[in-house]
Amino acid sequence: MSFGETKWVWINGRMVAWDEAQVHTSTHAMHYGTGVFEGTRAYLTARGAGIFRLDAHLDRLFTSAAVYGMEIPFTRIELARATDEVISKNAFGNCYLRHLCFLESANLGIRAECPVGVLILAWPLENPHGAWGMESGIRATISPWRKFSSEMMPTTAKASGQYLNSRLAVMEAVKRGFDEALLLNTQGNIAEASVANVFIVREGRLITNDERSSILLGVTRATVIELARDRGYDVDITAIRVEDLLSADEVFLTGTASEVVPVREIDGQLIGTGSRGLVTKELQHAFFEATVGRDARHTDWIALVGNGAHRQLALTV
């Protein structure tokens, strides 16, 4: 992940050169993690760059902001237009996008009332697990860190400070030589990976969990569920026990950055054949066909850059 090719950032309604995109040291979000964000991707399609599922990501951004009492000072349409602009201005095709809404500088203290700032970043991003991991699968471990319960913090909100939990888990996993951490919830069942949702495949059926397991309801998760059902797969939404995970025919993770990545091993135990399974491979292919606009059933998931992404979004709200 590198920002070296990014020249422009959208912040609070205007495009700003990279070196000038700054916030004050007293910014509330810097001290308390009071921000909400989205990770979104654009993919290069036959008709140019297309933002994948922008409407769903912006919907979740506004929902997360509402949970924390943050009133975003821009509409969804304005943010869609700005997203289009930041990709075009940087001349990106495939890229990752970060929408961040955060409490700015006015006062410090947990009760402080601060204005809400908004910024949009874009940068080129390859899958963090690389081509080899996407084909052969990654090594994961059950983390000693638990995922916080929705009784502690709202797990369905994508809030900045909450990701300290994920960082602790993945740092510990990498230190022990693994690619990814899998967090249990307070009941001892599988919650999610550090920044991805979990699916298992057993006898041709998919199983994944939901908010009752203290997960973030991922946009890629929802996408894969729909793509699987399009292809005739049954998808069960239920709790996943550790023994379910270890005895699965296949395990894969889904997320905006991770996309659809197979898990070949958990704590030294091979999953299935110890390589990417046939169902995972099929759903990977289906996902990437959808992201570049080659799935005729889901062309509405693509907001084309430079072709009125904000107008396309207006049709869905």
mmCIF file of all heavy atoms in Angstrom, residues 37-69:
data_model
loop_
_atom_site.group_PDB
_atom_site.id
_atom_site.type_symbol
_atom_site.label_atom_id
_atom_site.label_comp_id
_atom_site.label_asym_id
_atom_site.label_seq_id
_atom_site.Cartn_x
_atom_site.Cartn_y
_atom_site.Cartn_z
ATOM 1 N N PHE A 37 -15.667 5.372 8.706
ATOM 2 C CA PHE A 37 -15.051 5.355 7.380
ATOM 3 C C PHE A 37 -15.597 4.224 6.540
ATOM 4 O O PHE A 37 -16.291 3.334 7.027
ATOM 5 C CB PHE A 37 -13.527 5.246 7.506
ATOM 6 C CG PHE A 37 -13.022 3.930 8.013
ATOM 7 C CD1 PHE A 37 -12.618 2.946 7.122
ATOM 8 C CD2 PHE A 37 -12.937 3.671 9.373
ATOM 9 C CE1 PHE A 37 -12.144 1.717 7.576
ATOM 10 C CE2 PHE A 37 -12.458 2.450 9.834
ATOM 11 C CZ PHE A 37 -12.068 1.475 8.935
ATOM 12 N N GLU A 38 -15.255 4.263 5.285
ATOM 13 C CA GLU A 38 -15.552 3.194 4.332
ATOM 14 C C GLU A 38 -14.313 2.899 3.500
ATOM 15 O O GLU A 38 -13.564 3.804 3.134
ATOM 16 C CB GLU A 38 -16.696 3.580 3.397
ATOM 17 C CG GLU A 38 -18.069 3.393 3.988
ATOM 18 C CD GLU A 38 -18.365 1.955 4.355
ATOM 19 O OE1 GLU A 38 -18.093 1.058 3.533
ATOM 20 O OE2 GLU A 38 -18.874 1.720 5.467
ATOM 21 N N GLY A 39 -14.116 1.625 3.211
ATOM 22 C CA GLY A 39 -13.140 1.201 2.225
ATOM 23 C C GLY A 39 -13.909 0.722 1.003
ATOM 24 O O GLY A 39 -14.752 -0.172 1.100
ATOM 25 N N THR A 40 -13.653 1.327 -0.124
ATOM 26 C CA THR A 40 -14.372 1.028 -1.371
ATOM 27 C C THR A 40 -13.323 0.840 -2.464
ATOM 28 O O THR A 40 -12.187 1.285 -2.312
ATOM 29 C CB THR A 40 -15.327 2.195 -1.717
ATOM 30 O OG1 THR A 40 -16.096 2.534 -0.573
ATOM 31 C CG2 THR A 40 -16.254 1.853 -2.864
ATOM 32 N N ARG A 41 -13.689 0.175 -3.543
ATOM 33 C CA ARG A 41 -12.723 -0.009 -4.620
ATOM 34 C C ARG A 41 -13.331 0.398 -5.956
ATOM 35 O O ARG A 41 -14.536 0.283 -6.168
ATOM 36 C CB ARG A 41 -12.269 -1.475 -4.729
ATOM 37 C CG ARG A 41 -11.344 -1.905 -3.615
ATOM 38 C CD ARG A 41 -10.853 -3.315 -3.804
ATOM 39 N NE ARG A 41 -9.600 -3.348 -4.549
ATOM 40 C CZ ARG A 41 -8.553 -4.105 -4.200
ATOM 41 N NH1 ARG A 41 -8.610 -4.876 -3.134
ATOM 42 N NH2 ARG A 41 -7.467 -4.101 -4.921
ATOM 43 N N ALA A 42 -12.438 0.859 -6.818
ATOM 44 C CA ALA A 42 -12.781 1.051 -8.227
ATOM 45 C C ALA A 42 -11.973 0.046 -9.037
ATOM 46 O O ALA A 42 -10.814 -0.238 -8.716
ATOM 47 C CB ALA A 42 -12.475 2.468 -8.681
ATOM 48 N N TYR A 43 -12.602 -0.505 -10.052
ATOM 49 C CA TYR A 43 -11.956 -1.481 -10.930
ATOM 50 C C TYR A 43 -12.021 -0.962 -12.361
ATOM 51 O O TYR A 43 -12.988 -0.290 -12.753
ATOM 52 C CB TYR A 43 -12.658 -2.828 -10.845
ATOM 53 C CG TYR A 43 -12.503 -3.540 -9.519
ATOM 54 C CD1 TYR A 43 -13.384 -3.291 -8.468
ATOM 55 C CD2 TYR A 43 -11.486 -4.476 -9.318
ATOM 56 C CE1 TYR A 43 -13.258 -3.954 -7.254
ATOM 57 C CE2 TYR A 43 -11.353 -5.148 -8.107
ATOM 58 C CZ TYR A 43 -12.237 -4.881 -7.079
ATOM 59 O OH TYR A 43 -12.109 -5.535 -5.878
ATOM 60 N N LEU A 44 -11.019 -1.311 -13.133
ATOM 61 C CA LEU A 44 -10.989 -0.896 -14.528
ATOM 62 C C LEU A 44 -11.880 -1.820 -15.345
ATOM 63 O O LEU A 44 -11.628 -3.027 -15.442
ATOM 64 C CB LEU A 44 -9.561 -0.928 -15.058
ATOM 65 C CG LEU A 44 -9.340 -0.275 -16.423
ATOM 66 C CD1 LEU A 44 -9.760 1.191 -16.400
ATOM 67 C CD2 LEU A 44 -7.873 -0.403 -16.824
ATOM 68 N N THR A 45 -12.933 -1.277 -15.923
ATOM 69 C CA THR A 45 -13.862 -2.035 -16.745
ATOM 70 C C THR A 45 -13.616 -1.717 -18.213
ATOM 71 O O THR A 45 -12.775 -0.879 -18.550
ATOM 72 C CB THR A 45 -15.319 -1.675 -16.391
ATOM 73 O OG1 THR A 45 -15.654 -0.411 -16.989
ATOM 74 C CG2 THR A 45 -15.524 -1.596 -14.883
ATOM 75 N N ALA A 46 -14.374 -2.346 -19.086
ATOM 76 C CA ALA A 46 -14.242 -2.073 -20.524
ATOM 77 C C ALA A 46 -14.657 -0.651 -20.861
ATOM 78 O O ALA A 46 -14.323 -0.140 -21.933
ATOM 79 C CB ALA A 46 -15.092 -3.064 -21.318
ATOM 80 N N ARG A 47 -15.372 -0.002 -19.946
ATOM 81 C CA ARG A 47 -15.846 1.382 -20.173
ATOM 82 C C ARG A 47 -15.142 2.377 -19.271
ATOM 83 O O ARG A 47 -15.616 3.486 -19.064
ATOM 84 C CB ARG A 47 -17.359 1.425 -19.949
ATOM 85 C CG ARG A 47 -18.140 0.512 -20.886
ATOM 86 C CD ARG A 47 -19.596 0.438 -20.505
ATOM 87 N NE ARG A 47 -20.261 1.730 -20.591
ATOM 88 C CZ ARG A 47 -21.469 1.992 -20.096
ATOM 89 N NH1 ARG A 47 -22.140 1.038 -19.461
ATOM 90 N NH2 ARG A 47 -21.993 3.186 -20.228
ATOM 91 N N GLY A 48 -13.994 1.989 -18.732
ATOM 92 C CA GLY A 48 -13.245 2.877 -17.845
ATOM 93 C C GLY A 48 -13.393 2.460 -16.397
ATOM 94 O O GLY A 48 -13.987 1.422 -16.087
ATOM 95 N N ALA A 49 -12.849 3.279 -15.519
ATOM 96 C CA ALA A 49 -12.902 2.963 -14.093
ATOM 97 C C ALA A 49 -14.352 2.962 -13.604
ATOM 98 O O ALA A 49 -15.141 3.838 -13.953
ATOM 99 C CB ALA A 49 -12.087 3.974 -13.294
ATOM 100 N N GLY A 50 -14.688 1.952 -12.795
ATOM 101 C CA GLY A 50 -16.024 1.861 -12.231
ATOM 102 C C GLY A 50 -15.940 1.624 -10.739
ATOM 103 O O GLY A 50 -15.209 0.725 -10.288
ATOM 104 N N ILE A 51 -16.665 2.390 -9.950
ATOM 105 C CA ILE A 51 -16.665 2.245 -8.500
ATOM 106 C C ILE A 51 -17.638 1.122 -8.150
ATOM 107 O O ILE A 51 -18.798 1.147 -8.558
ATOM 108 C CB ILE A 51 -17.083 3.552 -7.807
ATOM 109 C CG1 ILE A 51 -16.291 4.736 -8.361
ATOM 110 C CG2 ILE A 51 -16.892 3.444 -6.292
ATOM 111 C CD1 ILE A 51 -16.886 6.085 -8.015
ATOM 112 N N PHE A 52 -17.152 0.151 -7.383
ATOM 113 C CA PHE A 52 -17.948 -1.037 -7.097
ATOM 114 C C PHE A 52 -18.801 -0.832 -5.850
ATOM 115 O O PHE A 52 -18.296 -0.565 -4.779
ATOM 116 C CB PHE A 52 -17.042 -2.253 -6.925
ATOM 117 C CG PHE A 52 -17.792 -3.554 -6.845
ATOM 118 C CD1 PHE A 52 -18.521 -4.016 -7.931
ATOM 119 C CD2 PHE A 52 -17.763 -4.319 -5.696
ATOM 120 C CE1 PHE A 52 -19.217 -5.215 -7.871
ATOM 121 C CE2 PHE A 52 -18.447 -5.529 -5.625
ATOM 122 C CZ PHE A 52 -19.177 -5.965 -6.714
ATOM 123 N N ARG A 53 -20.108 -0.925 -6.041
ATOM 124 C CA ARG A 53 -21.102 -0.862 -4.974
ATOM 125 C C ARG A 53 -20.973 0.412 -4.133
ATOM 126 O O ARG A 53 -21.043 0.391 -2.899
ATOM 127 C CB ARG A 53 -21.047 -2.113 -4.117
ATOM 128 C CG ARG A 53 -21.210 -3.397 -4.930
ATOM 129 C CD ARG A 53 -21.932 -4.481 -4.211
ATOM 130 N NE ARG A 53 -23.324 -4.117 -3.897
ATOM 131 C CZ ARG A 53 -24.202 -4.946 -3.323
ATOM 132 N NH1 ARG A 53 -23.826 -6.185 -3.013
ATOM 133 N NH2 ARG A 53 -25.422 -4.560 -3.067
ATOM 134 N N LEU A 54 -20.797 1.523 -4.814
ATOM 135 C CA LEU A 54 -20.672 2.811 -4.132
ATOM 136 C C LEU A 54 -21.896 3.113 -3.287
ATOM 137 O O LEU A 54 -21.786 3.643 -2.179
ATOM 138 C CB LEU A 54 -20.447 3.920 -5.165
ATOM 139 C CG LEU A 54 -20.348 5.343 -4.617
ATOM 140 C CD1 LEU A 54 -19.163 5.482 -3.670
ATOM 141 C CD2 LEU A 54 -20.244 6.348 -5.766
ATOM 142 N N ASP A 55 -23.083 2.781 -3.798
ATOM 143 C CA ASP A 55 -24.306 3.083 -3.048
ATOM 144 C C ASP A 55 -24.323 2.370 -1.701
ATOM 145 O O ASP A 55 -24.642 2.967 -0.664
ATOM 146 C CB ASP A 55 -25.547 2.732 -3.877
ATOM 147 C CG ASP A 55 -25.559 1.291 -4.373
ATOM 148 O OD1 ASP A 55 -24.492 0.637 -4.351
ATOM 149 O OD2 ASP A 55 -26.626 0.813 -4.788
ATOM 150 N N ALA A 56 -23.950 1.089 -1.681
ATOM 151 C CA ALA A 56 -23.952 0.328 -0.434
ATOM 152 C C ALA A 56 -22.931 0.875 0.551
ATOM 153 O O ALA A 56 -23.186 0.948 1.763
ATOM 154 C CB ALA A 56 -23.679 -1.146 -0.718
ATOM 155 N N HIS A 57 -21.769 1.264 0.047
ATOM 156 C CA HIS A 57 -20.746 1.808 0.930
ATOM 157 C C HIS A 57 -21.161 3.150 1.517
ATOM 158 O O HIS A 57 -20.945 3.416 2.708
ATOM 159 C CB HIS A 57 -19.420 1.931 0.184
ATOM 160 C CG HIS A 57 -18.702 0.627 0.009
ATOM 161 N ND1 HIS A 57 -18.061 -0.005 1.046
ATOM 162 C CD2 HIS A 57 -18.545 -0.161 -1.077
ATOM 163 C CE1 HIS A 57 -17.523 -1.133 0.609
ATOM 164 N NE2 HIS A 57 -17.805 -1.254 -0.679
ATOM 165 N N LEU A 58 -21.744 4.005 0.698
ATOM 166 C CA LEU A 58 -22.178 5.295 1.228
ATOM 167 C C LEU A 58 -23.340 5.140 2.198
ATOM 168 O O LEU A 58 -23.418 5.856 3.207
ATOM 169 C CB LEU A 58 -22.556 6.233 0.079
ATOM 170 C CG LEU A 58 -21.385 6.727 -0.777
ATOM 171 C CD1 LEU A 58 -21.885 7.658 -1.876
ATOM 172 C CD2 LEU A 58 -20.329 7.432 0.072
ATOM 173 N N ASP A 59 -24.230 4.201 1.926
ATOM 174 C CA ASP A 59 -25.314 3.935 2.880
ATOM 175 C C ASP A 59 -24.745 3.540 4.238
ATOM 176 O O ASP A 59 -25.201 4.027 5.281
ATOM 177 C CB ASP A 59 -26.230 2.828 2.358
ATOM 178 C CG ASP A 59 -27.160 3.283 1.250
ATOM 179 O OD1 ASP A 59 -27.275 4.515 1.039
ATOM 180 O OD2 ASP A 59 -27.764 2.418 0.589
ATOM 181 N N ARG A 60 -23.750 2.669 4.241
ATOM 182 C CA ARG A 60 -23.182 2.228 5.516
ATOM 183 C C ARG A 60 -22.419 3.361 6.189
ATOM 184 O O ARG A 60 -22.405 3.465 7.425
ATOM 185 C CB ARG A 60 -22.275 1.007 5.314
ATOM 186 C CG ARG A 60 -21.856 0.361 6.627
ATOM 187 C CD ARG A 60 -21.122 -0.942 6.427
ATOM 188 N NE ARG A 60 -19.897 -0.769 5.661
ATOM 189 C CZ ARG A 60 -19.097 -1.771 5.294
ATOM 190 N NH1 ARG A 60 -19.404 -3.018 5.603
ATOM 191 N NH2 ARG A 60 -17.995 -1.543 4.607
ATOM 192 N N LEU A 61 -21.768 4.225 5.401
ATOM 193 C CA LEU A 61 -21.074 5.373 5.973
ATOM 194 C C LEU A 61 -22.037 6.254 6.752
ATOM 195 O O LEU A 61 -21.756 6.658 7.895
ATOM 196 C CB LEU A 61 -20.394 6.179 4.862
ATOM 197 C CG LEU A 61 -19.600 7.404 5.321
ATOM 198 C CD1 LEU A 61 -18.326 6.980 6.047
ATOM 199 C CD2 LEU A 61 -19.251 8.285 4.108
ATOM 200 N N PHE A 62 -23.178 6.559 6.154
ATOM 201 C CA PHE A 62 -24.161 7.410 6.825
ATOM 202 C C PHE A 62 -24.768 6.710 8.037
ATOM 203 O O PHE A 62 -25.032 7.348 9.058
ATOM 204 C CB PHE A 62 -25.244 7.841 5.838
ATOM 205 C CG PHE A 62 -24.857 9.031 5.018
ATOM 206 C CD1 PHE A 62 -24.051 8.890 3.896
ATOM 207 C CD2 PHE A 62 -25.288 10.307 5.357
ATOM 208 C CE1 PHE A 62 -23.677 9.986 3.139
ATOM 209 C CE2 PHE A 62 -24.918 11.417 4.609
ATOM 210 C CZ PHE A 62 -24.100 11.253 3.488
ATOM 211 N N THR A 63 -24.968 5.399 7.933
ATOM 212 C CA THR A 63 -25.497 4.649 9.075
ATOM 213 C C THR A 63 -24.504 4.648 10.224
ATOM 214 O O THR A 63 -24.883 4.853 11.393
ATOM 215 C CB THR A 63 -25.823 3.207 8.654
ATOM 216 O OG1 THR A 63 -26.814 3.229 7.626
ATOM 217 C CG2 THR A 63 -26.354 2.406 9.830
ATOM 218 N N SER A 64 -23.224 4.427 9.937
ATOM 219 C CA SER A 64 -22.195 4.439 10.980
ATOM 220 C C SER A 64 -22.102 5.813 11.635
ATOM 221 O O SER A 64 -21.978 5.919 12.862
ATOM 222 C CB SER A 64 -20.835 4.055 10.387
ATOM 223 O OG SER A 64 -20.830 2.744 9.886
ATOM 224 N N ALA A 65 -22.157 6.858 10.820
ATOM 225 C CA ALA A 65 -22.092 8.217 11.363
ATOM 226 C C ALA A 65 -23.256 8.486 12.302
ATOM 227 O O ALA A 65 -23.090 9.080 13.376
ATOM 228 C CB ALA A 65 -22.064 9.236 10.228
ATOM 229 N N ALA A 66 -24.434 8.028 11.929
ATOM 230 C CA ALA A 66 -25.620 8.257 12.761
ATOM 231 C C ALA A 66 -25.483 7.568 14.113
ATOM 232 O O ALA A 66 -25.916 8.107 15.144
ATOM 233 C CB ALA A 66 -26.867 7.771 12.033
ATOM 234 N N VAL A 67 -24.883 6.383 14.130
ATOM 235 C CA VAL A 67 -24.692 5.659 15.391
ATOM 236 C C VAL A 67 -23.893 6.505 16.377
ATOM 237 O O VAL A 67 -24.178 6.529 17.584
ATOM 238 C CB VAL A 67 -23.979 4.315 15.128
ATOM 239 C CG1 VAL A 67 -23.482 3.701 16.430
ATOM 240 C CG2 VAL A 67 -24.911 3.362 14.406
ATOM 241 N N TYR A 68 -22.898 7.222 15.871
ATOM 242 C CA TYR A 68 -22.037 8.036 16.717
ATOM 243 C C TYR A 68 -22.460 9.504 16.763
ATOM 244 O O TYR A 68 -21.689 10.362 17.205
ATOM 245 C CB TYR A 68 -20.582 7.897 16.260
ATOM 246 C CG TYR A 68 -19.977 6.593 16.731
ATOM 247 C CD1 TYR A 68 -19.933 5.477 15.904
ATOM 248 C CD2 TYR A 68 -19.494 6.462 18.034
ATOM 249 C CE1 TYR A 68 -19.401 4.277 16.346
ATOM 250 C CE2 TYR A 68 -18.963 5.269 18.487
ATOM 251 C CZ TYR A 68 -18.919 4.178 17.642
ATOM 252 O OH TYR A 68 -18.402 2.991 18.100
ATOM 253 N N GLY A 69 -23.667 9.790 16.331
ATOM 254 C CA GLY A 69 -24.197 11.142 16.434
ATOM 255 C C GLY A 69 -23.493 12.162 15.566
ATOM 256 O O GLY A 69 -23.470 13.349 15.885
#
